[in-house]
Amino acid sequence: MIIAHDLGTTGNKASLHHDDGKLVASVTVPYPAHFAAGGVAEQNPNDWWDAVVAATRDLIARTETTPTEVAGLVVSGQMMGAVLLDGEGEPARPAIIWADTRSGAQQRELEAALGAERAYGILGHRLNPTYSIEKIMWVRDNEPGTWARVRRVCVAKDFIVLRLTGRLATDRSDASGTNAYDQAAGTWSTEVLQAARLDPSLFPEILESTSIAGALTSTAAEALGLHAGVRVVMGGGDGPMAAVGSGVVAPEDGAYVCLGTSSWISFAADAPLRDPKMRTFTFDNVVPGSFVPTATMQAGGASVQWIAEALSADPARPETSRLTSEASAGVDTDDLYFLPYLLGERSPMWDPDARGAFVGLARHHTRAHLVRAVLEGTAFNLLSCIQAFRESGAVIDRIDAVGGGAQSDAYLSVLADVWGVPVRRRTIVEEANSLGAAVTAAVGLGLTEFSAARALSEVTAEFTPDAGRHAVYAKRHARFADAYTALAPWFAARPS
């Protein structure tokens, strides 16, 4: 058996798989995130570890798996954060996660030293406060007492692998999401680190995602209820892992959308894709020698979750399914738009100052109109991402959907109509990241090949766009884009 952990923003989704990657069972252990004014987004790394321990024990107990049957562990995790470790390998402060946007000054420092286009050419990504290196610089510049104790830095998945094996390392997919990685050389970028004024010794060694990082220590094995010596595969970032879990392991497999807290559209490629306007970016893939061009919006599922919480009697138990169903049949928002920028935005405009807004709100609008506008707003933003890919030469003629939002017929129908391409639901949606991790582990353990992922998740439903609705949405998409353009100066002028 293989146990895969996927460290998301809201919890750890752990899954038990046969050694060919086939899903046996899954469990989610939630943990909190702290969001505050000024772009603050943090989590306690020890909460991640506690969730890994609890989920592992739960999986073993509920499936009556004998601990000796577990041949390997692997971790997928949220990308682009910053875990700062002291000399004992313990967190020196809470982890700054991907959604944090405090480090605008550090972004500007790097741009002044490198130039935006030069940096994009090295990194495959724009310089932006959502990336790891800017967050690390922010702690150095704003928390000198904490910084004096920092000896190493890593991301979420790496922290768990350290706890499991005692070895601090990362993989190419997560390294490529730090703004510190030279994508052509496959190493930490000396030029970028010099511009950032950071010592290269802070950063971990880089392994392939399929590498064996080590074996479970006796301490970790006791905590998890497993035996020491279980091999731990390095794993990778949740974006590339979702691609594998969607059966997207080569260019011919097409594109997929992950409808999680953040939402992204991506596909596999043999080379990085460089957008002349720098709207999209490219991660290294967990498939060695491969890449995953990606366009990510900050608050895709987070926008849907927010409106459901806001409109439910008990925000702790949002009625998401019922609200989206109410917003589906025959609801016309009548020129109501939602800008889904609750956490600033990455693709396509790269504006950390952007904020969410309802535009065109009128007295007759009901909660069904509000929810419908949120669904359409996320779809419009992702359409801008699709258009950016097409302008760079990518062919996107269908999109497979995974992530929690993929369970909603109403949402997938909206996406198909807005995008004008078929959107397909797969059998594995919420567990796509951990399925990708399990396949990566099986490859690392010599048990299968990445191509096996294609057969582990099948298409169960297809939503075909309505030509008439798509034509209307094409016009409305332009108006949606105009609303952001009109409000961008107002967002930027927000009092500090």
Side-chain angles (χ1 to χ4, degrees), residues 150-450:
V150 174
R151 296 294 177 270
R152 307 297 299 278
V153 297
C154 64
V155 297
K157 169 262 298 171
D158 306 337
F159 175 74
I160 298 302
V161 172
L162 173 64
R163 282 289 180 90
L164 294 171
T165 68
R167 181 182 186 181
L168 181 63
T170 194
D171 79 301
R172 297 190 187 283
S173 68
D174 261 328
S176 70
T178 61
N179 260 186
Y181 176 78
D182 186 325
Q183 196 159 54
T187 61
W188 299 118
S189 170
T190 300
E191 185 176 353
V192 173
L193 293 181
Q194 286 178 347
R197 298 181 287 115
L198 292 174
D199 193 315
S201 66
L202 288 167
F203 293 81
E205 63 178 317
I206 301 173
L207 306 177
E208 296 291 350
S209 306
T210 52
S211 297
I212 306 297
L216 277 187
T217 67
S218 57
T219 301
E222 182 178 359
L224 297 172
L226 298 175
H227 63 93
V230 171
R231 289 176 291 176
V232 178
V233 176
M234 188 67 236
D238 57 2
M241 285 298 192
V244 175
S246 303
V248 177
V249 297
E252 60 267 24
D253 296 319
Y256 80 98
V257 61
C258 184
L259 301 170
T261 303
S262 65
S263 295
W264 62 85
I265 291 175
S266 184
F267 49 91
D270 295 328
L273 184 151
R274 296 291 191 261
D275 175 16
K277 297 180 181 178
M278 301 189 294
R279 293 163 295 183
T280 66
F281 51 91
T282 301
F283 290 120
D284 279 39
N285 202 353
V286 296
V287 181
S290 176
F291 301 88
V292 274
T294 304
T296 298
M297 61 178 296
Q298 288 279 85
S303 293
V304 179
Q305 181 183 20
W306 167 78
I307 194 64
E309 290 172 352
L311 296 178
S312 297
D314 181 2
R317 304 181 65 174
E319 302 170 74
T320 309
S321 296
R322 184 173 64 82
L323 289 167
T324 53
S325 294
E326 287 180 2
S328 60
V331 175
D332 181 351
T333 58
D334 186 27
D335 213 33
L336 173 64
Y337 295 83
F338 177 71
L339 303 185
Y341 307 135
L342 302 178
L343 298 169
E345 192 53 287
R346 280 187 275 171
S347 299
M349 72 281 295
W350 295 89
D351 182 359
D353 293 324
R355 289 295 179 266
F358 282 104
V359 182
L361 195 62
R363 176 62 182 84
H364 67 280
H365 285 126
T366 66
R367 67 179 185 179
H369 294 109
L370 296 176
V371 175
R372 179 77 180 195
V374 170
L375 299 180
E376 292 178 355
T378 60
F380 285 142
N381 201 76
L382 289 168
L383 176 58
S384 297
C385 296
I386 293 170
Q387 291 175 341
F389 279 134
R390 287 173 172 161
E391 290 172 18
S392 297
V395 175
I396 298 179
D397 51 15
R398 73 167 192 273
I399 299 176
D400 289 352
V402 297
Q407 298 180 94
S408 169
D409 286 3
Y411 196 11
L412 297 190
S413 293
V414 169
L415 296 178
D417 286 342
V418 171
W419 297 345
V421 298
V423 176
R424 310 189 304 181
R425 179 191 294 127
R426 304 189 71 91
T427 47
I428 306 295
V429 288
E430 289 201 80
E431 298 88 359
N433 294 4
S434 53
L435 174 60
V439 172
T440 301
V443 173
L445 295 169
L447 301 171
T448 190
E449 301 293 334
F450 277 107

Side-chain angles (χ1 to χ4, degrees), residues 65-90:
T65 298
T66 303
T68 53
E69 291 182 88
V70 178
L73 286 172
V74 64
V75 186
S76 164
Q78 52 175 286
M79 306 178 76
M80 300 161 52
V83 183
L84 297 102
L85 304 174
D86 64 19
E88 303 300 317
E90 294 296 324

